[in-house]
Amino acid sequence: MANIALSEAEKTFILHGVEEDLRVDGRSCRDYRPMELETEVVNNASGSARLRLANTDILVGVKTEIDKTSSQFPERGKIDFFVDCSANAAPEFEGRGGEELALELADTLANAYESSLAFDLRDLCILPAQQCWKLYVDILILECGGNLFDAVSLAAKAALYNTKIPRVTSALMDAGEADLIISDDPHDCTRIKIDHIPILVTVCKIGDCCVVDPSAEEEECSATSVVVAVSRRDNSTFISHTHTVGRGSLHKDTLFNCLKLGVPAAEQLNEALMKALTLEENMLGSQKNRAVGFLK
């Protein structure tokens, strides 16, 4: 996270505002800052998205490749997360300063996606115990303005929604090895089911109150935060992972209040995200699939 120098008077002002349910930027404790989302922004990736959450700017690219299934899970595909903190995002990220935060973000996403109820890797399997699709989710933090966990999870889910996996038309067995034939039509592809992919919501404890979508200044006033990974399946909501950020500790009642605030916020975020992605695809889908050039 970006370190911001605040005086004791500024911290007191932020604390008193949170206690009155009126934050510095006019939001309540349950409100998010404005977001801008754009998909298919990287041409050489299988899927991509860029999310701007106030001053936080995230770029995600997804690449696909065929890999051998693991011996432990022969009927599952694979997904790997890699996070890079750009030195332009915050001065603290220069050199190897952002490595610890990058690993923390990648591990939190991996743990949230680990449950088969959250993301079923069996959909990425091509031939059991033979070959599968492997997804590389590369996340670049362009600017850090607070609440990185939420922004990264939203951008990653949008990029996976935009990901197009080439369709495997047939498979030939040669000396026990599978030889796959993949369609060369760029529009003949399959999509990833993202309905159950979790959303991360950061609930920040400031004083005795809890807020969602903390700004960089609010994060500086907090000793600890809880990141809640929330997924939805069969019209029911469940928590697939929790992660504590910061040097402080939480009482069990405070933790319960954080979960009570984070789960509804994740549901609203997921609904707004899916609505935005569907609207964008309906508006631009026909233009993207239109043949262009003299070979059409």
Side-chain angles (χ1 to χ4, degrees), residues 206-228:
I206 302 177
D208 294 329
C209 302
C210 299
V211 301
V212 298
D213 186 25
S215 64
E217 292 79 9
E218 290 172 338
E219 288 178 343
E220 197 67 25
C221 300
S222 173
T224 184
S225 301
V226 178
V227 180
V228 187

Side-chain angles (χ1 to χ4, degrees), residues 104 149 223-227 241-250 255:
E104 185 178 13
F149 286 92
T224 184
S225 301
V226 178
V227 180
H241 179 65
T242 57
H243 175 67
T244 304
V245 181
R247 59 189 181 278
S249 60
L250 290 171
L255 178 60

Side-chain angles (χ1 to χ4, degrees), residues 76-136:
R76 295 186 185 180
K78 301 176 181 178
I79 184 171
D80 278 347
F81 295 94
F82 175 77
V83 180
D84 182 21
C85 299
S86 171
N88 295 328
E92 296 81 11
F93 295 162
E94 292 183 3
R96 303 181 64 178
E99 280 191 1
E100 184 176 350
L101 175 60
L103 289 174
E104 185 178 13
L105 288 166
D107 289 344
T108 303
L109 282 174
N111 290 331
Y113 280 61
E114 188 175 15
S115 171
S116 60
L117 295 176
F119 185 57
D120 196 351
L121 291 174
R122 291 176 296 183
D123 295 336
L124 301 178
C125 182
I126 302 174
L127 293 174
Q130 290 283 340
Q131 290 181 322
C132 65
W133 288 107
K134 185 174 183 178
L135 305 181
Y136 294 93

